[in-house]
Amino acid sequence: MAAPIESLLNEICESEDPIEELKSLRTAVLATPVSGLRQAVSGARLEIIFGLLNTNDKEQIEVCVEILSRVLQALEPNQLAQNYKTALQSGLNHPNDSVKVLTLTQMGRVAGHAEGVSQMLNSGEILCDVIECISVERIAVAKEAIAALSKLSNTKAGLDVLFQSDLLNKLKDVMLTSDIIRYRVYELIVEVSTVSPVSLGYCANSGLISQMLEELTGDDVLVRATAIEMVTNLAQSQHGRQYLAQQGIMDKISNMIIIFGAHNYLKLKTYLNEGPYYINAVSSVITEGAD
């Protein structure tokens, strides 16, 4: 299958309107097992496909995304980081959300790979773009950005870059976008914090956990309920519970839940199910106590 794929790439390169050739290539790559694609795409000029994303033609973008989603699975994460750095950065800034999701998915693969993550850590501009994607309206984009940054934080080097460099200021700047985006960043902080006591220490020293805990005493009952959800997630780990207990937060939440009770519960439940906050359902502790 390597020869047909290379042949189709040549045809695409020579065509002024390559949509039909792209569809043929899509059929070819989808019909080839990922293991077979490794040989087929080794040294292939995939930058041709990346380049064809630069269009306003939605059908062409869709076909290119399908092709790349399949083909890039055949590449090792360190190959992606080394050979397609520029293409990945362009994808993060593409106006089409499907391209952003594709790119962030691949960035997540890179962040979870020992060699790939070292390449990623040396690309501060790309990491800034990943953080910026947290503020994209479409939740699917934000979730992939959070997942990639969370994987990056599984190493000490990743924690250093995210929390002891200008990237921390970038996170804080993104949080200013809106309540929704602020809580997306909190979600990232909670995910990172639950990994280990060390990662929790980085997050605590950043000041973002303290800022999240301050949300528990705000005037907006919906914001407070969302903060409870985040703190509840943090308490899923033993070291998280110990930290919260040391801060006197567990007793505070217990008192808040008792006071909150069923007051405004139906309004809250409806809002959290249908409203704009990017969270799961409100804490089961609240829902069980109010029903």
Side-chain angles (χ1 to χ4, degrees), residues 113-128:
H113 187 275
E115 293 183 26
V117 74
S118 63
Q119 295 279 337
M120 194 172 178
L121 292 174
N122 292 324
S123 305
E125 191 174 347
I126 288 181
L127 292 175
C128 278

Side-chain angles (χ1 to χ4, degrees), residues 34-253:
V34 173
S35 57
L37 280 175
R38 289 192 178 94
Q39 181 180 358
V41 302
S42 178
R45 294 177 295 171
L46 296 182
E47 64 274 7
I48 296 171
I49 309 301
F50 279 111
L52 291 173
L53 290 169
N54 299 320
T55 179
N56 293 322
D57 188 325
K58 292 184 179 180
E59 182 182 21
Q60 180 169 308
I61 291 174
E62 179 183 344
V63 176
C64 287
V65 167
E66 290 183 81
I67 292 169
L68 290 169
S69 295
R70 180 70 170 175
V71 169
L72 294 180
Q73 292 180 50
L75 298 179
E76 292 296 327
N78 60 313
Q79 288 180 285
L80 283 170
Q82 290 174 1
N83 301 329
Y84 297 102
K85 176 181 175 181
T86 301
L88 290 173
Q89 185 164 10
S90 295
L92 292 172
N93 292 284
H94 199 282
N96 186 288
D97 285 345
S98 296
V99 179
K100 284 188 172 74
V101 170
L102 164 70
T103 307
L104 288 164
T105 300
Q106 300 307 317
M107 295 299 293
R109 291 182 62 215
V110 172
H113 187 275
E115 293 183 26
V117 74
S118 63
Q119 295 279 337
M120 194 172 178
L121 292 174
N122 292 324
S123 305
E125 191 174 347
I126 288 181
L127 292 175
C128 278
D129 290 337
V130 174
I131 291 173
E132 187 66 33
C133 284
I134 296 176
S135 65
V136 173
E137 182 178 358
R138 187 178 173 189
I139 290 178
V141 175
K143 288 180 68 175
E144 290 295 339
I146 290 170
L149 292 169
S150 182
K151 288 181 181 178
L152 180 69
S153 301
N154 285 336
T155 65
K156 183 181 184 302
L159 288 167
D160 287 340
V161 167
L162 193 57
F163 293 104
Q164 294 184 348
S165 72
D166 290 340
L167 292 181
L168 178 59
N169 291 329
K170 178 64 176 179
L171 271 176
K172 292 180 178 180
D173 288 342
V174 165
M175 292 176 74
L176 299 176
T177 306
S178 67
D179 287 347
I180 302 169
I181 308 307
R182 187 169 75 255
Y183 271 89
R184 290 179 181 177
V185 174
Y186 287 153
E187 179 174 342
L188 168 64
I189 296 304
V190 169
E191 282 193 20
V192 173
S193 296
T194 55
V195 172
S196 70
V198 172
S199 60
L200 173 58
Y202 274 85
C203 293
N205 290 336
S206 73
L208 293 179
I209 292 184
S210 297
Q211 183 176 337
M212 179 179 72
L213 296 179
E214 290 174 3
E215 307 267 4
L216 292 169
T217 56
D219 295 330
D220 189 328
V221 67
L222 299 172
V223 170
R224 286 162 54 197
T226 309
I228 291 176
E229 168 70 11
M230 294 296 172
V231 174
T232 301
N233 290 338
L234 179 57
Q236 298 302 309
S237 65
Q238 182 178 358
H239 59 274
R241 290 192 297 275
Q242 290 176 342
Y243 173 81
L244 293 171
Q246 292 168 358
Q247 303 298 314
I249 299 300
M250 303 303 284
D251 291 337
K252 181 181 294 186
I253 291 179

